[in-house]
Amino acid sequence: GQQVMQIPQYQHVQEGEDFTTYCNSSTTLSNIQWYKQRPGGHPVFLIQLVKSGEVKKQKRLTFQFGEAKKNSSLHITATQTTDVGTYFCALIEGFQKLVFGTGTRLLVSP
Amino acid sequence: DGGITQSPKYLFRKEGQNVTLSCEQNLNHDAMYWYRQDPGQGLRLIYYSQIVNDFQKGDIAEGYSVSREKKESFPLTVTSAQKNPTAFYLCASSMTGEEFQPQHFGDGTRLSIL
């Protein structure tokens, strides 16, 4: 099956700094979803990207799908302590079957 | 409120014992899923079901079994054949259709070995 790699595995930033996580695949993706999991919590859907080169924004979060549809990124501007958690990308394989990336754990110090 | 309820929150299993994790949803979703998450790692799919009375194996189905007798319920049994069951188990559900649908997750069950 398809796989996605996420980098970095872990990042520790000071509040107010920016943060970016990258999701890479060796094959072309039909779409990609992003989820956030707070410590001790469950994943929560953030967004889905479908089109080549697509860019979507949610307040301080910017999501991008690569032109070749083989990579995606999530950028957080001016991080806040509420941004702490693990961010996962996930691709859909077959009918509604999600394959999750390895995740990037974000820690924000005040 | 509509949502997904998993129970129990914590579960302990003795050697050689089967245990069943409950998952109920009142979102009227057709599809349901079970994932396993190990510390510091991503989610891996155990089983999924797109419709009542039908389910498919995911990537790590060995040692697990499921049933889907009702639309609202998708219980997971961790059998004694699963030699390393300690993990965080997450149940999810989603609508089905032509568009890819986001998955909604329960709060999870943490399973440990006694």
Side-chain angles (χ1 to χ4, degrees):
Chain A
Q2 292 180 295
Q3 289 185 331
V4 283
M5 295 298 296
Q6 269 186 267
I7 53 171
Q9 272 191 311
Y10 171 80
Q11 188 151 9
H12 185 180
V13 300
Q14 294 293 316
E15 191 171 25
E17 293 181 337
D18 291 357
F19 160 77
T20 305
T21 173
Y22 300 91
C23 188
N24 299 305
S25 171
S26 57
T27 59
T28 302
L29 304 171
S30 58
N31 62 77
I32 198 150
Q33 296 183 355
W34 285 92
Y35 290 78
K36 175 185 178 181
Q37 184 176 24
R38 293 184 187 276
H42 59 268
V44 174
F45 173 77
L46 294 175
I47 210 157
Q48 177 169 277
L49 304 172
V50 178
K51 299 176 183 176
S52 168
E54 188 171 16
V55 177
K56 287 187 177 180
K57 292 191 175 185
Q58 289 180 351
K59 297 183 180 177
R60 294 178 294 102
L61 277 60
T62 302
F63 303 85
Q64 189 164 0
F65 205 4
E67 292 290 342
K69 299 181 76 172
K70 288 187 175 182
N71 55 72
S72 181
S73 64
L74 158 59
H75 179 83
I76 302 178
T77 303
T79 54
Q80 298 175 0
T81 54
T82 53
D83 295 324
V84 165
T86 301
Y87 293 85
F88 292 99
C89 63
L91 60 94
I92 296 184
E93 190 175 83
F95 184 78
Q96 302 287 350
K97 179 187 168 187
L98 279 180
V99 177
F100 280 81
T102 48
T104 295
R105 184 179 164 209
L106 173 64
L107 183 61
V108 181
S109 295
Chain B
D1 278 351
I4 300 175
T5 302
Q6 288 188 243
S7 61
K9 192 167 184 176
Y10 299 94
L11 186 58
F12 297 92
R13 194 192 90 169
K14 295 179 181 178
E15 293 286 343
Q17 186 181 43
N18 292 354
V19 291
T20 298
L21 283 59
S22 170
C23 178
E24 304 277 332
Q25 54 100 359
N26 60 6
L27 299 168
N28 200 33
H29 287 168
D30 286 313
M32 296 187 74
Y33 315 80
W34 273 106
Y35 293 91
R36 170 181 172 141
Q37 186 174 33
D38 292 284
Q41 297 191 28
L43 284 71
R44 292 183 291 167
L45 183 64
I46 305 173
Y47 269 97
Y48 63 106
S49 168
Q50 297 167 8
I51 197 169
V52 175
N53 291 322
D54 187 44
F55 48 83
Q56 287 79 39
K57 292 182 179 180
D59 300 317
I60 54 166
E62 187 175 349
Y64 300 97
S65 66
V66 293
S67 63
R68 186 86 188 276
E69 296 176 2
K70 298 187 300 181
K71 186 175 184 177
E72 302 80 19
S73 179
F74 192 39
L76 173 74
T77 297
V78 184
T79 74
S80 56
Q82 173 49 245
K83 297 306 178 187
N84 184 23
T86 298
F88 186 41
Y89 290 87
L90 287 156
C91 178
S93 70
S94 73
M95 294 172 64
T96 57
E98 292 183 7
E99 294 285 322
F100 299 116
Q101 302 291 336
Q103 293 186 9
H104 301 260
F105 286 82
D107 289 335
T109 294
R110 295 191 183 275
L111 176 62
S112 301
I113 290 291
L114 281 178

